[in-house]
Amino acid sequence: MSFPQPKPEVPQLPQHLLRTIDCQQGAVRAVRFNADGNYLLSCGSDKSLKLWSVSRGTLLKTYSGHGYEVLDADGSYDNSQLCSCSSDKTVILWDVATGQVTRKLRGHAGKVNCVQFNEEATVILSGSIDGTVRCWDTRSRKFDPIQILDEAQDGVSSLKVSEHELLTGSVDGRVRRYDLRMGQLHVDFINSPITCVCFSADAQCTLTSSLDSTVRLLDKSTGEMLGEYKGHKMKGYKLDCCLSSKDTHVLSCSEDGHVYCWDLVEGSLTLKLPVGKAVVQSLSFHPSETRLLTAMEGRVQVWGVEPEETEEDVVVVQQEKAE
């Protein structure tokens, strides 16, 4: 006789505020976890990039070198390098430990909206309001891009790289997926300016948010729409969307001060997380744990499944056990 399988546990969501970090760098334009999720990067309108400990909320380093507000950043897989982009039209490669500028990459004709390392951190990809994606070799002596992708008819607002594939979103309403190995380009038309694109963790789907206040889940290979998520407000700001680390939920920023969280399969709204009264500018989901970062005005919030035990709580528990 076989016993029925236990019901799968309902996935927990990061709905408890663990800490708020006052970044003191003007408005925080973007917040990002690093590769292992132990650190976070905050991009400031005061031209600075800051590195923080997630667990303590302490500032570890400030990176200064941009001439205008910093719009996006990424950390290398080994935590030794950072890259960032700015309204000053440049991309900067940083040495994490020293805080020094390793490279300042010029070539974009307008502000650079998004930036990411490839998996080996040998290439930086940057997308700009000038409608191009530029690929920069981090080890080359030459400061020219190794490739320029100029298919977009308007600004490139978002990009993600996964193994040999590059996903870009543009204000022209198109999601472009480049298969860099095969030299192929796949285009899906959304009919609204795109603010953010992501791959799912299993690399079978793409997630897209756009200014018609809709997040869409598309089958990567066929372009078929698998899900549509609505209820939030995204009309005039370039805001982030993402998937939870296990691909169970779809999350989006909103102009109404909340983060909206939908069940990926059912499409139902599971959680409406109240962050504050202003626009939720950016979000980032932990690579493996159920943790979420949000950015609003000058602050970053760290969210978890349940309140963390403080050191005082631990001491009390130990005393109770001793008694």
Side-chain angles (χ1 to χ4, degrees):
M1 169 181 163
S2 64
F3 290 99
Q5 291 288 317
K7 281 189 179 173
E9 284 184 28
V10 177
Q12 300 279 327
L13 289 169
Q15 50 196 355
H16 286 276
L17 181 62
L18 304 181
R19 68 187 49 79
T20 298
I21 302 169
D22 185 357
C23 297
Q24 298 187 346
Q25 54 183 158
V28 177
R29 294 296 178 210
V31 62
R32 303 285 178 249
F33 273 113
N34 74 320
D36 59 21
N38 292 327
Y39 305 99
L40 72 87
L41 294 162
S42 62
C43 303
S45 64
D46 74 343
K47 315 176 194 174
S48 73
L49 173 68
K50 292 189 177 184
L51 179 70
W52 306 81
S53 159
V54 173
S55 58
R56 295 185 173 170
T58 49
L59 178 64
L60 303 174
K61 202 95 178 165
T62 300
Y63 301 85
S64 303
H66 278 298
Y68 212 66
E69 56 184 8
V70 184
L71 298 177
D72 196 11
D74 190 29
S76 63
Y77 70 95
D78 61 358
N79 296 332
S80 69
Q81 295 180 302
L82 304 174
C83 61
S84 61
C85 63
S86 165
S87 297
D88 68 6
K89 309 181 192 175
T90 69
V91 173
I92 293 183
L93 175 67
W94 306 87
D95 182 284
V96 168
T98 65
Q100 297 299 305
V101 173
T102 308
R103 297 270 163 91
K104 193 173 232 186
L105 303 164
R106 294 179 174 89
H108 281 296
K111 72 175 181 178
V112 188
N113 290 318
C114 45
V115 69
Q116 202 184 354
F117 283 111
N118 69 339
E119 292 187 28
E120 300 81 31
T122 53
V123 177
I124 295 171
L125 298 106
S126 58
S128 164
I129 197 172
D130 68 10
T132 70
V133 172
R134 288 170 194 252
C135 311
W136 314 86
D137 187 334
T138 57
R139 300 167 303 177
S140 164
R141 297 246 174 116
K142 292 182 181 170
F143 282 39
D144 299 324
I146 46 176
Q147 194 172 2
I148 300 175
L149 306 169
D150 58 1
E151 284 75 17
Q153 304 297 307
D154 207 326
V156 176
S157 56
S158 176
L159 63 79
K160 294 289 184 315
V161 61
S162 171
E163 294 182 4
H164 59 284
E165 291 188 311
L166 169 67
L167 192 66
T168 70
S170 169
V171 181
D172 68 9
R174 286 170 173 80
V175 183
R176 293 175 174 84
R177 181 169 58 87
Y178 297 84
D179 187 320
L180 300 171
R181 250 183 228 163
M182 305 290 287
Q184 292 176 333
L185 170 61
H186 306 265
V187 184
D188 290 305
F189 183 52
I190 299 292
N191 201 20
S192 175
I194 290 161
T195 62
C196 187
V197 293
C198 318
F199 285 108
S200 59
D202 64 8
Q204 299 302 306
C205 306
T206 62
L207 193 71
T208 303
S209 64
S210 46
L211 289 182
D212 56 357
S213 300
T214 309
V215 180
R216 294 173 176 85
L217 185 72
L218 303 178
D219 183 291
K220 191 181 80 175
S221 51
T222 66
E224 178 191 355
M225 189 158 73
L226 304 174
E228 219 175 10
Y229 310 91
K230 295 185 176 185
H232 62 300
K233 185 181 176 202
M234 197 185 297
K235 300 270 192 224
Y237 289 84
K238 176 190 164 325
L239 305 181
D240 292 335
C241 66
C242 70
L243 288 153
S244 61
S245 49
K246 305 266 191 309
D247 280 351
T248 56
H249 288 82
V250 171
L251 295 94
S252 174
C253 294
S254 177
E255 292 169 18
D256 65 6
H258 293 79
V259 168
Y260 285 69
C261 182
W262 298 270
D263 183 286
L264 177 128
V265 177
E266 293 177 7
S268 52
L269 186 65
T270 319
L271 175 66
K272 188 176 168 186
L273 190 67
V275 181
K277 291 191 163 59
V279 173
V280 184
Q281 189 71 46
S282 180
L283 56 76
S284 181
F285 208 95
H286 192 286
S288 55
E289 296 170 18
T290 308
R291 294 207 168 201
L292 178 70
L293 301 174
T294 54
M296 178 179 284
E297 295 178 324
R299 293 185 176 87
V300 166
Q301 298 81 19
V302 183
W303 304 84
V305 174
E306 48 199 30
E308 285 179 336
E309 289 185 338
T310 62
E311 287 174 16
E312 290 165 14
D313 295 338
V314 174
V315 170
V316 169
V317 169
Q318 286 170 343
Q319 282 174 343
E320 284 172 358
K321 281 183 181 170
E323 288 163 8

